[in-house]
Amino acid sequence: DGGITQSPKYLFRKEGQNVTLSCEQNLNHDAMYWYRQDPGQGLRLIYYSQIVNDFQKGDIAEGYSVSREKKESFPLTVTSAQKNPTAFYLCASSISTSSSYEQYFGPGTRLTVT
Amino acid sequence: AQSVAQPEDQVNVAEGNPLTVKCTYSVSGNPYLFWYVQYPNRGLQFLLKYITGDNLVKGSYGFEAEFNKSQTSFHLKKPSALVSDSALYFCAVRDRETNAGKSTFGDGTTLTVKP
């Protein structure tokens, strides 16, 4: 059963703590993405990766970090420097970053920081 | 720069009636255009895309969209709405020549289909 998995579904953290969100895909896709979704604001790109060991900042990368050590995995760390981390986080993948390819999304992780 | 506008936050239709969810875009070059659907507390699912060729694109679940270059629009349509079509719909654009790897999404339109 191919797809993208994100864990956990719900995550609660205290302010000042770093937290890592997991994203795994078994679609053999080269490209992976992280988005943040806030109510009424659509999706905003945090980071994306075209190949292993390479990634680029998206539109709202401040306060976040990523790694891409394996093709299948693209974890996102929300650091204490992120001023408003409470949000719904979506991971996605596509065959490549070539513009014509659609993205496949995971089920999301809802992060609440108090 | 590329951008997408979904001018309606909410669209309400009766079951069995046709539905339209509007999307306009702006890119410096030529666009690739996508529609995605999101059910509550779920990820987005791909519906359809325009790459080139026929301006009328057919996708999943009976949805279709028409690319109109002169009006820079890519409206999503379905001839007969179902209650199960109720969801949040996103339009997305990528510039073919620039911004490789980066899609810009609209803010979403909530579609409600009433029995």
Side-chain angles (χ1 to χ4, degrees):
Chain A
D1 190 19
I4 301 178
T5 57
Q6 292 186 244
S7 60
K9 190 173 178 64
Y10 298 96
L11 193 53
F12 299 89
R13 281 294 184 271
K14 294 290 186 184
E15 195 172 318
Q17 293 178 336
N18 292 355
V19 59
T20 298
L21 281 60
S22 169
C23 177
E24 303 278 333
Q25 55 101 357
N26 62 4
L27 300 169
N28 199 33
H29 286 174
D30 284 326
M32 296 188 75
Y33 310 81
W34 273 106
Y35 292 93
R36 171 182 172 136
Q37 185 177 17
D38 295 285
Q41 294 192 41
L43 275 67
R44 292 183 288 170
L45 182 65
I46 305 172
Y47 270 97
Y48 65 104
S49 169
Q50 300 183 64
I51 55 172
V52 174
N53 293 322
D54 182 60
F55 47 83
Q56 289 79 40
K57 292 182 178 180
D59 300 319
I60 57 165
E62 185 175 352
Y64 299 98
S65 66
V66 293
S67 63
R68 187 86 187 275
E69 297 177 0
K70 299 186 301 181
K71 187 174 185 178
E72 302 79 18
S73 179
F74 191 42
L76 172 74
T77 297
V78 183
T79 76
S80 56
Q82 169 50 233
K83 293 179 181 178
N84 186 19
T86 295
F88 189 50
Y89 291 88
L90 287 163
C91 180
S93 71
S94 64
I95 294 174
S96 77
T97 53
S98 171
S99 298
S100 67
Y101 290 111
E102 64 272 20
Q103 295 175 56
Y104 293 77
F105 285 81
T109 292
R110 191 168 295 280
L111 174 64
T112 302
V113 177
T114 57
Chain B
Q2 58 190 30
S3 65
V4 173
Q6 294 183 238
E8 301 160 317
D9 291 337
Q10 180 103 24
V11 171
N12 298 312
V13 298
E15 188 174 30
N17 284 1
L19 69 87
T20 298
V21 182
K22 296 180 179 178
C23 172
T24 59
Y25 67 90
S26 175
V27 295
S28 56
N30 292 303
Y32 290 127
L33 293 155
F34 306 82
W35 275 103
Y36 294 87
V37 60
Q38 184 180 33
Y39 297 98
N41 296 311
R42 303 285 295 276
L44 278 67
Q45 298 176 31
F46 169 71
L47 278 179
L48 50 79
K49 65 182 176 183
Y50 171 79
I51 301 176
T52 188
D54 195 348
N55 290 341
L56 183 63
V57 178
K58 294 187 183 296
S60 305
Y61 313 118
F63 284 94
E64 58 189 28
E66 186 165 12
F67 172 63
N68 187 316
K69 188 172 184 177
S70 63
Q71 296 185 10
T72 62
S73 67
F74 189 56
H75 301 331
L76 181 70
K77 300 182 179 184
K78 187 174 183 181
S80 179
L82 300 173
V83 172
S84 58
D85 292 330
S86 299
L88 182 58
Y89 290 80
F90 289 98
C91 181
V93 67
R94 280 180 175 171
D95 190 315
R96 289 189 197 185
E97 286 80 27
T98 63
N99 284 327
K102 294 179 68 174
S103 294
T104 297
F105 286 79
D107 289 342
T109 298
T110 299
L111 172 67
T112 302
V113 182
K114 298 184 177 180

